[in-house]
Amino acid sequence: MSKKKTKFNINLGKTLGDIKSNMERDVSKKILPSSELVQNLSKDFAFVPVEQIEVNPDQPRKNFDATDLNDLKESIKIHGLIQPITVRRMAEGQYQLISGERRWRAAQLANIHEIPAIIRDDIEGDKIPEYSLVENIQRSELQPLEEAEGYLSLINKYKYTQEEVSKAVSKSRSHIDNMIRI
């Protein structure tokens, strides 16, 4: 019986020096992020004042359940905001919310004035609705009508084809077609 090598047993029996050496070799092969990329990532994280964040007008979620927001607020008071929101810089020190509106709203309810944010200036304005929709679909938190309206927004407002929406959100074209019939 041959033993299948997996990434989980690859470092068994190796010293920390061996593992570090392998990691350095992998970095040089571009398998792991280069130190330049890691430095750039650290520049893209900040604690942002909640009052400097503007809501995304194309946010697919339209309804925010008060009970759920209150539960999230209480959790944030106890544990802090575990998952950062995602924003992009706007003019005059403002930020536009890309994802995390529920977290942003709950943080305000918890009287938190600065929240952790990943700053994604690389996302163009017309791509923000796509990112917002994908993030909400991945979390499975959208109501079917909100999901359908998000797809229609990409199609009507941003001129996506159904095929492009399908690829953007990793759903079948027939799923997209069925949802927009709602």
Side-chain angles (χ1 to χ4, degrees), residues 70-117:
N70 191 55
D71 291 346
L72 184 53
K73 171 193 80 168
E74 294 302 321
S75 174
I76 289 172
K77 281 182 173 182
I78 295 168
H79 304 288
L81 191 63
I82 296 170
Q83 176 74 33
I85 64 169
T86 308
V87 297
R88 74 177 184 133
R89 287 183 186 92
M90 303 297 286
E92 301 176 22
Q94 292 295 109
Y95 296 86
Q96 183 180 31
L97 193 60
I98 296 172
S99 67
E101 187 169 344
R102 283 183 64 244
R103 287 169 273 159
W104 174 73
R105 287 173 181 257
Q108 288 178 335
L109 293 172
N111 291 317
I112 295 176
H113 302 286
E114 287 188 332
I115 57 176

Side-chain angles (χ1 to χ4, degrees), residues 23-37:
M23 288 175 68
E24 288 169 352
R25 185 188 72 239
D26 290 346
V27 167
S28 69
K29 291 180 181 178
K30 304 290 185 204
I31 294 172
L32 295 175
S34 68
S35 60
E36 179 183 335
L37 177 60

Side-chain angles (χ1 to χ4, degrees), residues 50-59 61-62 64 90 94-98 101 104-105 108 128 132:
V50 294
E51 67 274 358
Q52 292 179 341
I53 300 170
E54 299 173 3
V55 174
N56 173 4
D58 292 319
Q59 155 73 277
R61 179 185 310 284
K62 304 298 180 202
F64 296 89
M90 303 297 286
Q94 292 295 109
Y95 296 86
Q96 183 180 31
L97 193 60
I98 296 172
E101 187 169 344
W104 174 73
R105 287 173 181 257
Q108 288 178 335
I128 289 175
S132 296

